[in-house]
Amino acid sequence: MAKANKRAQTPRHRPNAPRERPSAEHPAAPTGTRVAAGGGVPASAARVTTGVPGLDRVLGGGLPAGGLYILQGTPGAGKTTLANQLAFAHAKAPGAGTVVYLTLLAESHERLLANLRTMTFFDEHALGSRIAYVSAFSVLESKGLDGLLELLRRELRRRGARILVLDGLGAIEDSAKSPREVKRFVQAVQVQAGLLGFTGVLVTSVPTKLGTRSEHTMVDGIIELSDKTFGNVAVRQLEVKKLRGSAYHRGLHTFSITDDGVQVFPRIESLLQFPSKFDASIGRRTKTGIGQLDTMLHGGLPSGSTTMLVGPSGAGKTVFGLHYLSRSTAKEPGLLFSFYETPARLLDKANKIGVDLRALVEKGHVEIEWEPPIERLLDDLGDRLLTAVRRRRVKRLFIDGLGGFAASAVHPERLPAFFTALANELRARDVTTVYTVESRNIVGREIEAPLTGISTIVENLFVLRFIEVGAQLHRLLSIVKVRDSKYECDVRELRIGPSGIDIARTFASADEILTVPALPTTVAAMTTQSRQRR
Amino acid sequence: MKRILVVDDEIGIAEAVSDLLGDEGYVVDVARNGEDAITLLSAKRFDLVLLDWMMPITDGLGVMTALRGMANRKSPPVIVMSALPEDVVRSDAEIAGFLRKPFDVGDLLRVVSQTLPAR
């Protein structure tokens, strides 16, 4: 008989995984459409959760159970932290079986545990009974790979382990006479994983001393951690290079290591290739909180839409947003996602224009999330925003300073896709979003927005300008675009007083301002300098 | 002490199964292909054979045919290990037990103990 599909015969390989069913949160897409919960990654086999926030999502639900995986990375990249986090997460799960953490490192367990004790996932009570740290260095030295395999098999079987972490695959490569021996060892561990029913993680550094890693072709998955610098900023990145039997989110994802361990931030545009739901708000309107503007918009902003408010510093963008949030209620919760102004300053600013933001915050109708954009991770910010939206089912979102996201992007070319995915998801969640973008020029008739490539997400575009007439500065508002809606497109004068924004009822005052020849500040300054020289 | 022959051309599987059965107190021999299995079966008496079905040159069916041809002795019971469906294997040969790959240690020991109850 011909030798057919021999790979599928190995005991560890378990096909025919159940598929994830749509839920109320992620309803099934109508026939003929492509909308997949969580970005289009189908669920496959039974999974082992990694206990690492964000990583299971990258992996499409966790590590397929019964497989053997390589976790590799440069020294200091976070491999041992991640592997231990996985071990402790598994040990905490009720009825999950034990973990054997087999080390081939020169470092003692005392030192390893001393470092782990600073982590919040560390649990002293799990040691021994649920996580067994086994040093195999001396066995490898004295008995070679066969001795190591025997130790591994006996320990796993004796303890009924469901997880094996083998920390120090490099020591096996050092000990082996050829890549073939390493391959044979990995294959033997794979067979044991199938027979004994455990999932294995082999931890190792890169690059290998033996050149091409033969074991890479054999294992069920490879996760690589790296730590790179962009300018002066160091960024940790994770990439799943291979995962058999499962779709996963390819490419680089950033991660952080804190006292809570590793947290992975899947690339938003990969995670949300398709929004989790369909638009639910077509045809409805959301009041802006500025009466005259709602009149110009024939009732308000289209619900679930995205509005970009462009203007120079001081033009009234934040004040606009505070008006917008002032209409937040228990049914229409608001979120102020601020990058630059602190909550205290925002509360004070609102108070000065007669918006009792503090009361709205105290009632829980508005939440202020302040995220200073200093050495931040783009996807962390995106995740925080979406988490805050989901947690309170936010309907009114004001992002004060879209540039805060851009400032956190080490790969700016990602921004258009990032913003598109974010906007699609917010729209699907019936969130009406207003965000501000600061223009480069302070005063003048032309407006230059510093962010490029975001036009695709702009459904409504409002422009604020300063115009100089004589010794006076005037603010003008233009509604440039509103998605699929009628609106008054004439320019209006906008004033900010003790009651906040007041928009002129007609274009007459704006017309008067614009018909007077005005010089932008920069030109005026040059003219003044020129006169002084003369 | 019961003696078992494990036949599998995937040496990792053969050795792992052999080790596990050894832990249980069985005496285990390993054959890496059908030819070696026939040689061992001709030379020694076994209480049970664990036989991979899909092997090159001489497959499981070939081993069973050879085993039935050894008229001078009683054939040991055969448990087939295969990824093929059980009925496909059973339609070709009379076997004492079946282990569908992939299987775990629990499946292995249960089928072996059912087929070979008394040690």
Side-chain angles (χ1 to χ4, degrees), chain A residues 116-130:
Chain A
L116 289 175
R117 280 194 177 90
T118 61
M119 299 288 182
T120 55
F121 63 74
F122 183 80
D123 177 9
E124 201 82 50
H125 302 293
L127 297 179
S129 57
R130 281 169 286 153

Side-chain angles (χ1 to χ4, degrees), chain A residues 446-507:
Chain A
E446 289 178 2
I447 284 291
E448 204 180 330
L451 291 175
T452 55
I454 58 169
S455 58
T456 48
I457 66 162
V458 179
E459 293 170 291
N460 318 317
L461 175 59
F462 300 171
V463 173
L464 287 169
R465 283 175 291 171
F466 279 124
I467 298 289
E468 231 178 17
V469 178
Q472 278 204 315
L473 271 181
H474 297 265
R475 292 182 175 93
L476 294 183
L477 168 72
S478 310
I479 302 176
V480 179
K481 164 184 168 185
V482 179
R483 183 193 72 186
D484 301 332
S485 300
K486 287 181 179 172
Y487 61 95
E488 304 302 319
C489 56
D490 45 348
V491 179
R492 300 288 176 93
E493 187 178 9
L494 179 148
R495 293 193 181 93
I496 299 176
S499 305
I501 288 178
D502 177 35
I503 296 173
R505 288 182 177 276
T506 68
F507 63 88

Side-chain angles (χ1 to χ4, degrees), chain B residues 31-49:
Chain B
R32 295 184 177 200
N33 55 55
E35 296 297 310
D36 286 356
I38 292 166
T39 305
L40 279 167
L41 284 164
S42 307
K44 291 183 185 177
R45 184 192 154 277
F46 290 95
D47 298 296
L48 179 68
V49 179

